Structures are given as structure tokens and as C-alpha cells.
């Protein structure tokens, strides 16, 4: 059976451009995976952009990304499947997600293949919202005009403790509502010292989280979660391997401090398993990483039904819209890394990120993003 619908407006996708852009980071970034020797410090982020234009001139911009390896693979897969969009009704986003998924089904329905689809899926949502003259959050049905946000980029493990305190203070001064610190390094005493120092500096009232980036084993996670109970943390993130659902569930059941995880999962199906195991109090889906907004909404629906809190991972420029739609108050992660890629900036006030009111995502690619672009592919004819 070939599923199709006819477009009421008679419009169709005429042109698609994908670009592979490498965003350099000012300082090499280290979390616990670097300190345990599993990864090298991160020096750049590979962005995959999709630009879509219809016969009638409606436009959409989407993005996906990878850290360390994966950028060339995402681009190659996107290039192979992009022709499947030409001539299609851009409104049929769910159907097109499925069509793109089947086009590459042999390489799986998670990971790199769905992340390539993610860029197109986000672009189609951006197009639909822009065409309606609505922000993405309004198109989806917004619950709030601003979302509480916390800073991550100032709390990495390559940052010395003196600077950690300065960064945390500067973030709060800037109006960011909470502070996340990376932990999970081999020397546990240093982790505790960093958290203790920042908690003392900020006082008891400032929301504080920690993130071990999957680098503890079960006994260590038990001990560290117990020690961290006294710091009144908003959550303890990725205490264990991302796929150890039973281990996360045991921690979530044992400790008062909420457990957060989910950023490494790459499909709605994987998130479904995590939710079924009750492995998280805060679920942290990442829309580009799970394949775009279509799977993200399926995950958010399940999470809401299960009574979980939401803290989407990375890409605040996209997640601010998606978080605004969630039923209970979520947290959005503030990372300024992607800012040079866009002409627009998010506004932050009184601990909260304001949801942009411009149509769509409210983003346009900067000249700088074009300059960092290494490879481009186009299909169809630009109207
Ligand atoms: Mg994390």
C-alpha cells in the first residue's frame, strides 16, 4: 500500500539543500568520558542543516548534529534519502518521516540514519509554522511563554575550580536560573569538592544539578548518589551507562534526589523502554538525536503519561520551543555554543529563557555558518 495525501493548497516540496558545517569550539571540552580515557576532548561540532523550499516559495530550516565522529555519515545518509522529499506535500510530516525511514530502513531505525532524517523533520516543522505565521511552540500548542533554564557550558571538567565558581556566578548574574556541574571523574573526592565549593558559593537557593556522563559503575553510583543527597540537587544525571535501565531505575527508587537520563538514546523506541523501566525522574530526549520533532513528540507524550519531568538535552534553540509545549514545567539546557551559527539570539530573563515569537524556529543561518560549511548537496529545482 502506498500512502499518500493530496495537498489542499496544491503546494509541494521543490528543492532541498543539505549542508555539513563544522562549528569550532573556543576551548577543547572535557566531560567525564575524557577523564576516564574513553573520548578525546571535543574541539568542534558537526552540524547537518536542511533547507527546504516549496513550489509556492515556503521555506524551512532544520538541523541535526553530531559530536566527535558521525558528521560525514549523517550527511551521506541525508544526501541519499533527500530525493524522496521532492514533489511531496510538506504538511504531511509524519508520513514523510516514515517514508524517509523506509528509504534507509536497512541501516536501522535509530542512530545515524534517523539523525539524518531529523534535519528534514525539523525543517518541515519550521516550514509549517512559518507558513502559518506562528512560532513552533504556538503551532504545537504552547503551555508557557518562557522556560526555566540552567547553564552547562561553564561547568565542564577541563575548567579549574576557581574558574568554575566565576562561571557559575556569571551565569546567575546573566539571568540563567540554574547551574549544572560535570562530575564522574576518576577522583571522586575532586567531584565532591567541586560540588561543595559551588554550592557554598551560590547558597542553598540556586538550583544545582550534576552530570556524571555515564562514567560510574553501579556501586560507585550508589555511593555518590548517597553523598550528593545532602546538596539538595535538582537531579543527578547519567550516573550509569545510558542503556542500564535497571540500574537507573534502582537509583531512582532508592534516593530522594531525582535521576535524569536519556540524552544518548537515539529513537522513540529506546525512550519507550527507558520509560517502561521507570529509569528516570527527568527524561532528557534530544530531538535531533532521536530523529527530529516527530519522534520527540511521541517520547514527550509517553513521558507525560508516565508522570516524568522533562529536561531536553542540548540544542536550546530548538528545545526551547518543544519544552514550552510540555505539560509540567521543564528545564532547558543553556549552551551558548551554537549561537554563532544563527543571526538571532535567545532572550534570558529572571532565570528563564523566553520562547521566541518569530515564525517557525525563529532562526536563520548566519554568514559565519556558511563560511564553516564544508559540503553541500542539493536536489530538485529552487523555485
Ligand atoms: Mg548530560
Amino acid at each position: 500500500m502506498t500512502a499518500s495525501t493530496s495537498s489542499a493548497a496544491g503546494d509541494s516540496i521543490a528543492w532541498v539543500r543539505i549542508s555539513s558545517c563544522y562549528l569550532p569550539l573556543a576551548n577543547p571540552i572535557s566531560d567525564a568520558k575524557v577523564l576516564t580515557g574513553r573520548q578525546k576532548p571535543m574541539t568542534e561540532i558537526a552540524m547537518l542543516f536542511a533547507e527546504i523550499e516549496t513550489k509556492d516559495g515556503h521555506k524551512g530550516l532544520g538541523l541535526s548534529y553530531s559530536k566527535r565522529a558521525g558528521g560525514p555519515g549523517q550527511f551521506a545518509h541525508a544526501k541519499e534519502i533527500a530525493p524522496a522529499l521532492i514533489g511531496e506535500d510538506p504538511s504531511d510530516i509524519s508520513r514523510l518521516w516514515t517514508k524517509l525511514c523506509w528509504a534507509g530502513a536497512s541501516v536501522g531505525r535509530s542512530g545515524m540514519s534517523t539523525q539524518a532524517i531529523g534535519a528534514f523533520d525539523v525543517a518541515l516543522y519550521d516550514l509549517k509554522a512559518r507558513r502559518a505565521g506562528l512560532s513552533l511552540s504556538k503551532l504545537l500548542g504552547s503551555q508557557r511563554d518562557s522556560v526555566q533554564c540552567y547553564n552547562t557550558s561553564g561547568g565542564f571538567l577541563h575548567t579549574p575550580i576557581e574558574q568554575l565558581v566565576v562561571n557559575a556566578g556569571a551565569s546567575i548574574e546573566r539571568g540563567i536560573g540554574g547551574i549544572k556541574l560535570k562530575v564522574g571523574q576518576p577522583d571522586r573526592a575532586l567531584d565532591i569538592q567541586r560540588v561543595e565549593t559551588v554550592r557554598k558559593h551560590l547558597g542553598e537557593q540556586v538550583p544545582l544539578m550534576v552530570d556524571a556522563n555515564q562514567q560510574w559503575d553501579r556501586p560507585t553510583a550508589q555511593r555518590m548518589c548517597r553523598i550528593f543527597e545532602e546538596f539538595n540537587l535538582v537531579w543527578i544525571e547519567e550516573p550509569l551507562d545510558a542503556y542500564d535501565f535497571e540500574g537507573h531505575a534502582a537509583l531512582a527508587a532508592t534516593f530522594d534526589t531525582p535521576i535524569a537520563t536519556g540524552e544518548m538514546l537515539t529513537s522513540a523506541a529506546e525512550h519507550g523502554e527507558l520509560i517502561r523501566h521507570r529509569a528516570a525522574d527527568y527524561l532528557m530526549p534530544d530531538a535531533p538525536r532521536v530523529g527530529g520533532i516527530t519522534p520527540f513528540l511521541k517520547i514527550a507524550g509517553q513521558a507525560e503519561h508516565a508522570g516524568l519531568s522533562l529536561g531536553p538535552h542540548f540544542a536550546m534553540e530548538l528545545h526551547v520551543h518543544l519544552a514550552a509545549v510540555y505539560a509540567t514545567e521543564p528545564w532547558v539546557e543553556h549552551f551558548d555554543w551554537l549561537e554563532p551559527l544563527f543571526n538571532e539570539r535567545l532572550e534570558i530573563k529572571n532565570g528563564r529563557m523566553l520562547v521566541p515569537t518569530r515564525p517557525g524556529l525563529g532562526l536563520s543561518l548566519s554568514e559565519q555558518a556558511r563560511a564553516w560549511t564544508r559540503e553541500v548537496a542539493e536536489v530538485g529545482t529552487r523555485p
Side-chain angles (χ1 to χ4, degrees):
M1 187 190 75
T2 307
S4 68
T5 72
S6 54
S7 165
D11 198 10
S12 61
I13 297 171
W15 175 82
V16 177
R17 172 161 65 194
I18 52 169
S19 347
S20 174
C21 164
Y22 285 79
L23 164 78
L25 297 170
N27 299 304
I29 305 293
S30 294
D31 62 23
K33 300 190 293 298
V34 174
L35 274 82
T36 55
R38 288 190 163 117
Q39 290 184 344
K40 293 197 163 62
M42 187 165 57
T43 54
E44 61 182 15
I45 297 174
M47 301 297 303
L48 173 68
F49 291 114
E51 292 162 273
I52 294 179
E53 205 165 323
T54 67
K55 195 159 57 69
D56 294 347
H58 294 293
K59 294 175 189 168
L61 169 68
L63 60 96
S64 205
Y65 76 93
S66 73
K67 292 173 174 174
R68 300 182 176 83
Q74 286 182 353
F75 180 80
H77 192 74
K79 188 175 164 183
E80 270 195 295
I81 61 177
L85 290 169
I86 300 300
E88 290 285 4
D89 182 347
S91 296
D92 294 354
I93 303 178
S94 291
R95 184 175 61 81
L96 294 179
W97 197 95
T98 306
K99 185 182 185 188
L100 292 174
C101 186
W102 280 112
S106 157
V107 289
R109 298 185 195 185
S110 61
M112 197 183 283
S113 54
T114 40
Q115 288 160 13
I117 297 172
F120 299 124
D121 184 82
V122 174
L124 289 169
Y125 266 104
D126 182 50
L127 189 154
K128 194 175 213 172
R130 285 209 227 179
R131 192 182 56 194
L134 298 170
S135 67
L136 178 63
S137 70
K138 290 281 184 190
L139 179 86
L140 297 173
S142 193
Q143 300 263 7
R144 53 190 73 81
D145 296 331
S146 67
V147 184
Q148 57 185 349
C149 62
Y150 67 93
N151 176 267
T152 297
S153 36
F156 275 84
L157 290 175
H158 59 269
T159 307
I161 196 161
E162 312 77 49
Q163 188 61 38
L164 201 64
V165 171
V166 173
N167 290 354
S171 288
I172 297 300
E173 189 77 11
R174 216 192 129 182
I176 296 171
I179 298 294
K180 189 160 87 186
L181 301 177
K182 295 293 188 178
V183 293
Q185 56 191 318
D187 188 341
R188 312 292 173 225
L190 283 181
D191 278 352
I192 298 164
Q193 192 196 353
R194 286 163 74 90
V195 175
E196 226 169 16
T197 304
V198 173
R199 172 51 91 203
K200 206 172 277 171
H201 179 76
L202 294 176
E204 284 303 311
Q205 298 310 312
V206 172
L208 189 64
M209 313 67 171
V210 300
D211 182 358
N213 286 96
Q214 315 176 69
Q215 296 308 298
W216 292 330
D217 55 20
R218 286 188 180 191
T220 308
Q222 285 275 344
R223 288 198 181 104
M224 294 303 278
C225 287
R226 183 157 289 118
I227 290 166
F228 281 143
E229 288 269 67
E230 67 166 294
F231 295 107
N232 187 30
L233 301 174
V234 180
W235 67 61
I236 297 172
E237 181 173 330
E238 288 198 313
L240 296 166
D241 184 275
Y243 289 87
D244 184 359
F245 300 152
E246 289 89 354
H248 278 101
L251 296 175
T254 305
F255 297 104
D256 290 346
T257 310
I259 299 298
T261 190
E263 67 176 72
M264 297 307 297
L265 306 185
T266 66
S267 69
E270 290 176 356
H271 273 277
E273 275 303 294
L274 190 155
I275 293 166
R276 262 189 293 285
H277 279 87
R278 300 213 64 89
D281 300 294
Y282 276 89
L283 195 68
M284 315 194 90
D286 175 319
R289 207 171 256 181
V290 298
I293 295 169
T294 298
F296 185 99
L297 294 175
K298 292 176 183 173
I299 293 164
Q302 289 182 69
E304 186 180 323
H305 192 63
L308 305 186
S309 300
L310 189 78
H313 169 251
F314 200 60
M316 63 181 183
E317 290 82 356
L318 167 59
H319 288 131
V320 67
H321 289 280
L322 302 180
V325 176
Y326 199 67
T328 55
E329 175 79 35
W331 279 98
V332 166
E333 182 166 31
H334 180 270
F335 262 103
D336 49 18
W337 296 353
L338 303 188
E339 282 183 347
L341 298 170
F342 306 110
N343 294 316
E344 300 78 11
R345 295 288 175 272
L346 292 171
E347 229 181 298
I348 291 161
K349 245 186 222 163
N350 304 325
R352 304 179 70 83
M353 198 176 278
L354 309 192
V355 185
T357 54
R358 297 179 296 274
L361 292 167
L363 297 174
S364 57
L365 287 180
S366 66
E367 282 306 310
Q368 184 62 76
R370 303 282 183 202
W372 285 332
T373 297
R374 290 189 201 161
E375 217 176 336
V376 173
E378 293 183 27
V379 292
T381 311
R382 198 167 192 177

